Amino acid sequence: MTTTDKPAAVLALAQGRSNSQAATAAGVSTRTILRWLESDDFRREVAESRTMLLRLAVGRLAAASVKAVDTLVDALDTERGQARVQAAKVLLESTLALRESLDVEERLAALEAESRGR
């Protein structure tokens, strides 16, 4: 197989899919995925792709957070909307958790880059 199969595997692994699922997505064997995973560059590509996916998710959650805050503010003036309030709370909590996860990913990537530069 050629390296053109790798991007599909990188994306699948970054999305949390199993080695077997990544192999299917890339059209290669699971053994090939395991061999690719032995490469620091390949693992770095997976990590960078995962970080990008997290950034996208945090961005979407951040945009939706404005609506969630509006929902919470509106709920102060009404007794209805318990489900909306719960959804808004979950969204805000998820935004904060994903933001923290993204921060950790970025710090780890910076440390790994610094360590490679030594």
Side-chain angles (χ1 to χ4, degrees), residues 46-52 54-55 98-112:
V46 172
E48 288 170 358
S49 294
R50 184 173 293 126
T51 297
M52 180 56 87
L54 279 172
R55 281 190 185 125
L98 268 176
R99 180 68 214 170
E100 289 173 5
S101 178
L102 181 58
D103 286 345
V104 169
E105 288 274 339
E106 288 174 343
R107 285 188 210 135
L108 181 59
L111 287 172
E112 288 174 343

Side-chain angles (χ1 to χ4, degrees), residues 26-45:
V28 298
S29 69
T30 302
R31 184 175 176 159
T32 297
I33 296 294
L34 292 173
R35 191 178 73 250
W36 287 347
L37 283 166
E38 292 174 3
S39 162
D40 289 340
D41 289 340
F42 183 78
R43 286 194 314 274
R44 190 171 19 263
E45 281 184 61

Side-chain angles (χ1 to χ4, degrees), residues 64-86:
S65 294
V66 173
K67 187 173 179 180
V69 170
D70 289 343
T71 297
L72 290 172
V73 170
D74 289 345
L76 293 173
D77 298 326
T78 181
E79 294 178 17
R80 300 180 320 225
Q82 191 68 2
R84 290 178 63 211
V85 170
Q86 185 61 29

